[in-house]
């Protein structure tokens, strides 16, 4: 999709929120839903369409952890560090991913392939520690399992 | 009628209108509750917690708590003082101890509070923050943002967003990571910032300051090869005294001339002369459009560079309505390096032209586009704020208030009362009407005091007067936050194919006009703005000549050099162009 077409897509997607006061966050959700983050040029479209200053939009975007300002990468690795996972060694799994991908939690690899984030409880504590990659759940993960999980998705990418 | 509320503050009886805050009520009984984030120009936000008091057994922030009937307020006891000290200690724990080298050290409100509360050591370990190493943002060369010194009071954000409607600064992130910054981590130069400096005027600490240009001025003054020329803006003369303990509004024009000579300037001119020339050009431009139908109405004034930047960013479709006439100091700059240089046999390259301005945006204006180089080199080399000049005078050991009065140099120093009122909101319009009347009616306006356009309380002032058999409607806006309403009204009328509701519009970006400019001595409130305005009104009143076209040196300038207003030479030297500028550069 060209940049212009993408901006047009955003413009269309937020039409339904335009007239409603207090729906800036919903419009931003809409954009993040499409692109996985809120790109600068698209935030500008929101500013224009909704008549909200870009400064205010960025205040909202940076206030809520949920919103991302950079492309989060193709494969999103969510490592749980909720209570149960933490007790079962979630932190060491996070460290292992950080070491193997050479990124900190919340960061994306330079090739934009992997993004790692820490989440609090995925609702399947019996499987602790839990890792989810693009919807696929891995249970009882140990640091030793980490390279194979990464390889699995790298192989998928190579196909 | 407003309901009156009776209460006790520190056991003293107080009666104030309903809705008054405890903080304001306390002032009635000579009690000054300490504050940091509060500013009378702005809505109280209760950000800092320093103004805490006890009322009816509870601890409350007095800035945003309205009084209640029968309330018993205690503003000071050991527990309250302890709380306030804790608030200050926490702020200081994330504020660098750089007071010695900080540009705001003399006027920093945080430093003053730390002194008043008697801190003699750091009580808390310094907290290291993620943006601790954030670099200075000097990108505008007008305003400097040092995020490390920010105490998150929010004054700059409120003034930038709500008062000025510029929206360059914002609160980004949350919690400990909160900081004042531009959206998308851009620099101020890449942002909507118009360089008005109201953030600087309202910042209690050194987080926002002017871009200090005194270094190059000192070096030029020491350099024997340089012929240094200074000029002072209208609003500077009624404010600089404040830096030397004088009351706002006291006129120090002649002491300023004297002080600038003592500093080593070879010639001292007055921007007010340039203001008179501006009126000749802009007034003629208006008359051409209004009486002779040459060009579109309304005509909008363009002396204010922050307003120029705002208009180029937000109203580029209105460019044709903008007066092409340059601002007064640019006119003095261009004439110094041509007219004066020729008279004196000077090479313009050897002239160092320094403007003393109440303004931070003038620092941006001097390089705004190629028309600022009309003399063949940069017409104004440096623009200093009132504050920078005050610092230079102190460094030079000049005892300002004991100086003997001196006169400005000829031929760019003589000014009329119309030139001096350029410094307050409504003054440019008033000065223009005094001359436009002469140009259209062919006779002099008898009563030159056009009072409906004066004053700092109203954001938009309007007036009608008969002119050339028609009714002239003028409007004056102060503070860019008030401009939108006015220009939208004009734009809507024009889009509908109707005539503009106003034919002549004056805009000054800062509340109160230049007297309340971002480069003026700090601590400005409406009370100070009123006093400074009064000072300029007095300066005008006591002038023997109160109309720009009657200034003999202005007449001489046209006879000897420019021929007549709007001549080709005048256009080349005294007029400029505008172009659309993107709100964000990225």
């Amino acid at each position: 999709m060209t940049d212009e077409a993408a901006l047009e897509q955003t413009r269309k997607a937020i039409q339904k929120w335009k007239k409603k006061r207090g729906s800036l966050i919903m419009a931003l959700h809409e954009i993040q839903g499409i692109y996985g983050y809120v790109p600068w040029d698209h935030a500008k479209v929101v500013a224009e369409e909704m008549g909200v200053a870009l400064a205010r939009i960025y205040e909202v975007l940076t206030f809520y952890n949920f919103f991302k300002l950079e492309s989060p990468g193709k494969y999103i690795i969510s490592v749980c560090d909720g209570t149960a996972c933490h007790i079962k060694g979630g932190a060491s799994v996070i460290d292992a991913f950080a070491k193997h991908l050479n990124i900190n939690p919340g960061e994306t690899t330079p090739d934009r392939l992997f993004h790692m984030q820490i989440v609090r409880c995925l609702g399947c504590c019996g499987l602790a520690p839990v890792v989810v990659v693009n919807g696929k759940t891995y249970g009882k993960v140990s640091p030793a399992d980490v390279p194979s999980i990464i390889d699995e998705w790298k192989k998928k990418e190579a196909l | 009628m407003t309901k009156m509320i009776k209460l006790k503050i520190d056991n003293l009886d107080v009666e104030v209108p309903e809705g008054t805050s405890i903080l304001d009520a306390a002032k009635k009984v000579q009690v000054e509750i300490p504050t940091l984030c509060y500013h009378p120009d702005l809505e109280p936000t209760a950000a800092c917690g320093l103004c805490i008091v006890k009322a009816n057994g509870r601890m409350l922030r007095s800035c945003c708590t309205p009084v209640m009937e029968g309330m018993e307020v205690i503003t000071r006891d050991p527990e309250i003082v302890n709380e306030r000290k804790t608030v200050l200690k926490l702020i200081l724990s994330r504020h660098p101890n750089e007071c010695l080298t900080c540009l705001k050290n003399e006027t920093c409100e945080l430093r003053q509070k730390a002194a008043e509360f008697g801190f003699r050591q750091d009580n808390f370990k310094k907290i290291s923050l993620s943006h601790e190493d954030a670099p200075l943002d000097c990108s505008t060369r007008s305003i400097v943002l040092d995020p490390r010194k920010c105490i998150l009071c929010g004054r700059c954000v409120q003034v930038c967003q709500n008062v000025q409607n510029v929206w360059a600064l914002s609160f980004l992130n949350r919690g400990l990571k909160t900081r004042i910054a531009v959206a998308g981590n851009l620099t101020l130069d890449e942002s909507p910032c118009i360089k008005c400096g109201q953030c600087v005027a309202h910042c209690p600490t050194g987080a926002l300051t002017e871009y200090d240009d005194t270094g190059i001025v000192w070096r030029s003054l020491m350099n024997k090869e340089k012929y240094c020329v200074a000029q002072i803006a209208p609003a500077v003369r009624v404010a600089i005294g404040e830096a030397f303990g004088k009351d706002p509004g006291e006129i120090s024009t002649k002491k300023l001339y004297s002080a600038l000579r003592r500093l080593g300037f070879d010639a001292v001119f007055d921007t007010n002369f340039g203001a008179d020339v501006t009126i000749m050009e802009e007034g003629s431009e208006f008359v051409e459009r209004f009486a002779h139908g040459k060009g579109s109405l309304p005509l909008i004034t363009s002396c204010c560079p922050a307003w120029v930047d705002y208009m180029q960013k937000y109203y580029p479709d209105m460019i044709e309505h903008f007066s092409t006439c340059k601002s007064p100091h640019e006119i003095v700059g261009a004439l110094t390096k041509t007219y004066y240089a020729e008279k004196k046999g000077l090479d313009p390259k050897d002239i160092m032209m320094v403007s003393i301005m109440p303004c931070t945006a003038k620092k941006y204006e001097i390089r705004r586009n190629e028309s600022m180089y009309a003399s063949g080199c940069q017409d104004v080399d440096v623009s200093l704020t009132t504050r920078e000049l005050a610092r230079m005078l102190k460094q030079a050991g000049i005892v300002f208030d004991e100086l003997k009065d001196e006169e400005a140099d000829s031929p760019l120093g003589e000014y009329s009362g119309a030139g001096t009122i350029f410094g307050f909101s409504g003054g440019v319009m008033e000065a223009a009407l005094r001359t436009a009347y002469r140009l259209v009616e062919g006779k002099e306006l008898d009563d030159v005091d056009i009072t409906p356009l004066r004053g700092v309380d109203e954001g938009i002032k309007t007036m009608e007067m008969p002119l050339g058999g028609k009714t002239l409607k003028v409007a004056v806006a102060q503070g860019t936050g008030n401009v939108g309403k006015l220009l939208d009204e004009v734009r809507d009328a024009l889009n509908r194919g109707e005539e503009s509701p106003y034919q002549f519009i004056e805009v000054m970006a800062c509340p109160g006009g230049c007297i309340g400019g971002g480069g003026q001595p700090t601590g400005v409130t409406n009370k100070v703005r009123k006093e400074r305005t009064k000072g300029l009104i007095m300066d005008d009143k006591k002038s023997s000549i109160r109309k720009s076209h009657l200034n003999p040196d202005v007449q001489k300038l046209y006879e000897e050099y420019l021929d007549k207003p709007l001549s080709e030479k005048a256009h080349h030297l005294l007029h400029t162009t505008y172009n659309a500028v993107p709100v964000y550069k990225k």
Side-chain angles (χ1 to χ4, degrees), chain B residues 164-181:
Chain B
Q164 295 297 73
N165 199 23
V166 168
W167 296 84
L169 292 171
S170 48
F171 272 122
L172 297 188
N173 300 320
R174 68 196 286 182
L176 266 180
K177 288 182 178 166
T178 309
R179 64 202 172 90
I180 302 294

Side-chain angles (χ1 to χ4, degrees), chain A residues 40 44 53-56 58-59 62-65, chain B residues 161 167 170-174 183-184 186 584 586:
Chain A
W40 171 255
K44 275 175 144 178
L54 196 56
R56 173 56 45 83
Y58 259 72
E59 286 180 333
T62 58
F63 185 85
Y64 295 105
N65 284 323
Chain B
Q161 298 186 349
W167 296 84
S170 48
F171 272 122
L172 297 188
N173 300 320
R174 68 196 286 182
L186 300 187
Y584 283 92
K586 280 189 181 164

Side-chain angles (χ1 to χ4, degrees), chain A residues 77-82 90 93-94 97 116-120 122 130-132:
Chain A
I77 303 166
S78 304
V79 189
C80 184
D81 200 26
V93 176
I94 293 167
F97 273 109
M116 183 196 12
Q117 62 186 22
I118 298 173
V119 294
R120 310 277 166 190
L122 289 155
V130 183
V131 171
V132 174

Side-chain angles (χ1 to χ4, degrees), chain B residues 28-44:
Chain B
K28 297 260 180 215
V29 281
Q30 302 81 46
V31 174
E32 187 77 36
I33 299 167
T35 57
L36 257 181
C37 68
Y38 172 82
H39 192 287
D41 283 352
L42 309 169
E43 292 292 320

Side-chain angles (χ1 to χ4, degrees), chain B residues 49-68:
Chain B
L50 199 62
C51 70
I52 207 156
V53 294
K54 279 182 189 166
N56 300 350
R58 292 170 61 203
M59 286 269 206
L60 298 163
R61 296 184 183 206
S62 62
C63 68
C64 60
T65 308
V67 293
M68 285 189 294

Side-chain angles (χ1 to χ4, degrees), chain B residues 260-272:
Chain B
L260 288 165
R261 282 203 189 95
R262 293 263 187 123
L263 272 182
F265 282 98
D266 300 289
V268 179
F269 293 145
D270 204 311
T271 311
N272 289 8

